[in-house]
Amino acid sequence: MASDSDEEYDDVEFDNASEEDIDEDILNALEDHLTAAEGTEGEEDTDSETSDGGSDDDDADEDDVRGHNDLERVLTQTLQEVALPGKPPSPATESPIAPDASQPQAEKRPPSPAQLRRTKILSGIKWPRSFTVEAICAIPHPCATHALASSLCMTHLITGSDDGYIRDYDLFAAVNGKVFLTAPQRQHCGVIEGIMKAGQIRCWWENAIPTLNPDGTIAGEPTLYPVYSLAMHSDALWALAGSDQGHVSLFTVRHSPGRLCHVMHAHRGPVSALALQHDEKGFFSAGWDGEAIHWDLNTGHLVRRFSAHGAQLAAIAVRPLNANPVQNQWGPGSEFTVPMRGSRDDQSQSYDPSMHQSNGTGSHFKQEDDAKSEGSYDPLFDEPDADGGGDGPNSAHPNNSSGPNGQNMGRGAIAPKGAPPILDPTTYASFSPDLLMTAHVDGQVILWDRRAQTPGKGVGRLWMSEKTPPWCMSACWSADGSQIYVGRRNGTVEIYDVRQTGRAASGTPKIWKTLRNPLSSGVVSCVVAFPDSRHLACASTDNIRLWNVAEAGEPDAYGKMKSGVQFKIIPGHHGGFVSQMLVDPAARFLVSASSNRGWHGEYTKTVFVHEVKHLF
């Protein structure tokens, strides 16, 4: 019988040769072998007869065994001869049971059309030194606009308003067209001087849930629900709308716009924010009931609840994919750094207060004296820097203190009842890069490790000073996932450095800088990060400001601190809260909407589209 290797080799050769050729070659080889074997057997018989030992029966047995062996050898040799020329034998065939045989790799799926378009849009982008942002289009609305969402290429721009309608605009037709605002529209939008283009609407639909009768018919007119949050698919196939009653509706956008596909119920109050997963197969919702919920879009069911201390949620965001480690795979005890885009002086080391307290010219940062106001300061009613501390209205400086990693930041805010503990180095070192950020109205910012399923594990809040007012209306990640920008009620934006090193001795989130707007600017109602990971748009009551986060408050080449205003004014909104801003991934447009999002405050009834110009 042939061996296993021979059997497997036979299969390979039979696949590579025709049946007629194989049969003919085998027969010819057998005839030649039998002819040669007869002469050989005759000589062997003569030798056996002249030998002393042996018998006729033994000779017959030996002839049978010898015949089988010869036949097996001939068949094997024949199959080797008929093999196709130039085809090398397969290593797996020669040693089919080799212990080091490589396992077949899984088939790699080709990129989807959406991934191809995303790659094409983002390829070849060179980030400039700075930006200039100008309002070029105004879209008047009959009421406050709570939410915005757009496709990846900004072809579709949808707005969600307090009147319960979702409107879809063609942004490129608006900015490239020649339709301008009329005089009544300019007055409505507050654009008194100059000429500004008007928006081009595609369609609109109602954010309503029809009530069905027992027989399946619709009972009366459906009720309209104000839209408090929006999220859209990158190719504008569908959109999500969160209402003031706690449900999230799934609508089609590109095809049959406005068709209601599914409604998800879970929140007990307004849905204040929505965030899509990176694969767009699920999303996260944040509500006034203090809960963040993870949804599965394939089933429409709830996957997980993220519950903290019950305070209203103002923002929710998933850490960008650019934050994934590129050097080593994450794991306990491993070390990696979050990649940073562009050249920065602070990439390789965290901020050290002693480096900025003095320089060669003798200039010093003014430190706050906590002892002056420990007994009298009330963060809810007192103005910031009322004790004379701080660096003035236009200051933007690295904070001279930090949280639980050993630096002196003064006293921290009292932890709310039921809030998770402050992140310590040991806990944060065990976190994976797959983080979810939630910001609460009381000022607390909490990080969740999405891979941790055990209750009470994989969660922690960022350190906050006792002087920080209990109001946070907006927070977001930087484009590279290394920082978190938190807008405060006292006109400041706190920048947390959340880079992970995988070591318990470093990498704890800490306040890296504090950007201070003028005292007259009012509450910071919205913040949005630019895709270059260096610039930040900050919306206050009076204006929208553009900050260069990487250079704000940093000394120049001579060690001197930069003087003067360190931000740019973005014209457009003024005199009201900005509910949401969004910037496209290529940093070509910035869109802003105005409303108080259901809280107290003034607002306008206009959506502005800004053109972003790159300055190299």
Side-chain angles (χ1 to χ4, degrees):
M1 180 180 291
S3 62
D4 294 339
S5 60
D6 293 337
E7 292 178 358
E8 187 169 348
Y9 191 86
D10 293 347
D11 295 339
V12 175
E13 303 305 334
F14 271 100
D15 291 340
N16 297 324
S18 63
E19 296 181 359
E20 296 179 357
D21 297 339
I22 294 175
D23 295 340
E24 184 178 355
D25 293 335
I26 292 176
L27 293 176
N28 294 335
L30 289 176
E31 291 177 357
D32 296 340
H33 177 71
L34 291 176
T35 303
E38 291 178 356
T40 305
E41 290 177 357
E43 296 177 358
E44 292 178 354
D45 292 342
T46 303
D47 296 338
S48 61
E49 290 177 358
T50 56
S51 61
D52 296 336
S55 64
D56 295 339
D57 295 338
D58 296 338
D59 294 340
D61 295 340
E62 292 177 0
D63 292 342
D64 293 338
V65 174
R66 190 183 302 110
H68 287 292
N69 294 335
D70 294 339
L71 180 60
E72 180 180 353
R73 184 172 60 257
V74 170
L75 288 174
T76 303
Q77 181 179 1
T78 304
L79 290 175
Q80 293 177 354
E81 291 175 355
V82 301
L84 292 178
K87 180 178 177 61
S90 173
T93 304
E94 294 177 356
S95 56
I97 56 175
D100 57 345
S102 59
Q103 297 293 335
Q105 297 182 355
E107 182 181 358
K108 186 177 181 180
R109 299 183 59 183
S112 64
Q115 292 174 337
L116 293 176
R117 282 189 289 272
R118 178 187 295 270
T119 303
K120 186 175 182 180
I121 291 175
L122 301 181
S123 62
I125 297 180
K126 183 179 180 181
W127 297 120
R129 175 181 53 84
S130 182
F131 299 99
T132 298
V133 186
E134 298 179 357
I136 59 174
C137 179
I139 306 175
H141 279 66
C143 57
T145 302
H146 297 308
L148 297 170
S150 69
S151 59
L152 179 68
C153 59
M154 298 293 288
T155 303
H156 291 262
L157 173 67
I158 60 175
T159 64
S161 303
D162 197 58
D163 57 0
Y165 283 91
I166 300 174
R167 298 170 174 87
D168 185 6
Y169 291 90
D170 189 343
L171 187 142
F172 290 100
V175 299
N176 296 326
K178 296 183 179 180
V179 180
F180 299 94
L181 294 176
T182 62
Q185 288 177 335
R186 287 202 305 269
Q187 185 177 4
H188 176 89
C189 297
V191 181
I192 306 302
E193 299 179 355
I195 300 176
M196 188 169 294
K197 296 181 179 180
Q200 298 291 326
I201 191 169
R202 295 175 185 266
C203 57
W204 67 90
W205 60 88
E206 300 173 345
N207 182 35
I209 302 178
T211 303
L212 300 179
N213 293 322
D215 57 355
T217 60
I218 299 178
E221 292 293 332
T223 305
L224 298 182
Y225 298 98
V227 182
Y228 272 57
S229 55
L230 287 172
M232 182 187 285
H233 182 256
S234 59
D235 278 350
L237 298 180
W238 44 262
L240 298 166
S243 71
D244 65 336
Q245 298 300 315
H247 59 263
V248 180
S249 303
L250 176 64
F251 296 97
T252 56
V253 178
R254 173 173 292 185
H255 310 289
S256 301
R259 181 170 62 89
L260 180 62
C261 299
H262 188 68
V263 180
M264 289 155 277
H265 300 270
H267 289 285
R268 301 181 301 275
V271 181
S272 55
L274 297 172
L276 292 178
Q277 290 182 190
H278 298 302
D279 57 4
E280 298 184 332
K281 296 181 181 180
F283 71 96
F284 299 87
S285 61
W288 284 18
D289 55 0
E291 286 190 342
I293 299 178
H294 181 199
W295 299 88
D296 185 358
L297 281 174
N298 290 323
T299 62
H301 295 160
L302 185 149
V303 177
R304 180 184 176 186
R305 293 180 182 269
F306 300 87
S307 302
H309 55 289
Q312 294 182 8
L313 285 173
I316 187 170
V318 182
R319 191 175 196 177
L321 279 176
N322 295 325
N324 290 342
V326 296
Q327 296 180 357
N328 296 320
Q329 185 177 4
W330 178 87
S334 64
E335 180 181 2
F336 64 84
T337 57
V338 175
M340 306 286 286
R341 297 182 183 178
S343 59
R344 287 184 50 162
D345 297 333
D346 58 325
Q347 287 187 16
S348 59
Q349 58 183 3
S350 59
Y351 173 73
D352 185 0
S354 61
M355 297 174 59
H356 295 273
Q357 289 179 359
S358 61
N359 49 40
T361 60
S363 60
H364 298 270
F365 280 113
K366 193 174 183 180
Q367 299 184 359
E368 297 180 351
D369 187 2
D370 294 335
K372 295 182 180 179
S373 57
E374 287 183 356
S376 60
Y377 183 79
D378 188 344
L380 184 60
F381 299 103
D382 292 350
E383 291 293 335
D385 303 326
D387 56 352
D391 296 89
N394 298 334
S395 66
H397 61 85
N399 203 304
N400 291 336
S401 52
S402 71
N405 59 345
Q407 299 181 15
N408 180 22
M409 283 199 77
R411 297 175 57 181
I414 300 176
K417 183 178 180 181
I422 295 177
L423 281 175
D424 57 85
T426 304
T427 303
Y428 194 59
S430 64
F431 273 36
S432 73
D434 192 4
L435 299 179
L436 177 70
M437 182 268 295
T438 57
H440 300 254
V441 174
D442 62 354
Q444 301 293 335
V445 179
I446 298 178
L447 296 182
W448 306 79
D449 186 355
R450 292 175 51 195
R451 301 182 187 179
Q453 301 294 331
T454 305
K457 301 293 184 180
V459 58
R461 58 187 177 92
L462 302 183
W463 187 91
M464 189 175 67
S465 173
E466 66 172 354
K467 294 187 177 182
T468 302
W471 194 348
C472 172
M473 294 182 64
S474 180
C476 67
W477 292 93
S478 63
D480 57 11
S482 63
Q483 298 167 355
I484 294 178
Y485 307 137
V486 183
R488 300 296 187 183
R489 189 180 71 90
N490 56 358
T492 63
V493 178
E494 292 180 345
I495 303 175
Y496 288 86
D497 185 357
V498 295
R499 286 175 289 183
Q500 294 173 298
T501 62
R503 292 182 175 180
S506 61
T508 305
K510 52 184 174 295
I511 298 179
W512 175 52
K513 287 183 180 180
T514 300
L515 308 180
R516 296 185 182 274
N517 294 326
L519 292 177
S520 59
S521 63
V523 176
V524 176
S525 57
C526 187
V527 293
V528 63
F530 274 62
D532 67 338
S533 302
R534 296 171 62 91
H535 289 80
L536 167 73
C538 165
S540 301
T541 305
D542 58 347
N543 282 306
I544 301 177
R545 293 171 173 82
L546 178 65
W547 288 87
N548 188 330
V549 179
E551 298 180 2
E554 297 292 336
D556 56 16
Y558 300 98
K560 297 182 179 180
M561 299 306 301
K562 298 179 181 180
S563 60
V565 178
Q566 301 185 22
F567 55 79
K568 296 181 180 179
I569 297 294
I570 300 177
H573 278 291
H574 58 276
F577 284 0
V578 174
S579 56
Q580 188 172 355
M581 296 187 293
L582 59 88
V583 181
D584 69 297
R588 297 171 299 173
F589 299 101
L590 183 147
V591 186
S592 58
S594 177
S595 82
N596 57 12
R597 300 175 60 190
W599 295 303
H600 297 287
E602 299 294 331
Y603 58 88
T604 62
K605 301 177 182 179
T606 307
V607 174
F608 281 98
V609 179
H610 304 76
E611 181 184 9
V612 181
K613 297 181 180 179
H614 295 198
L615 303 178
F616 292 96

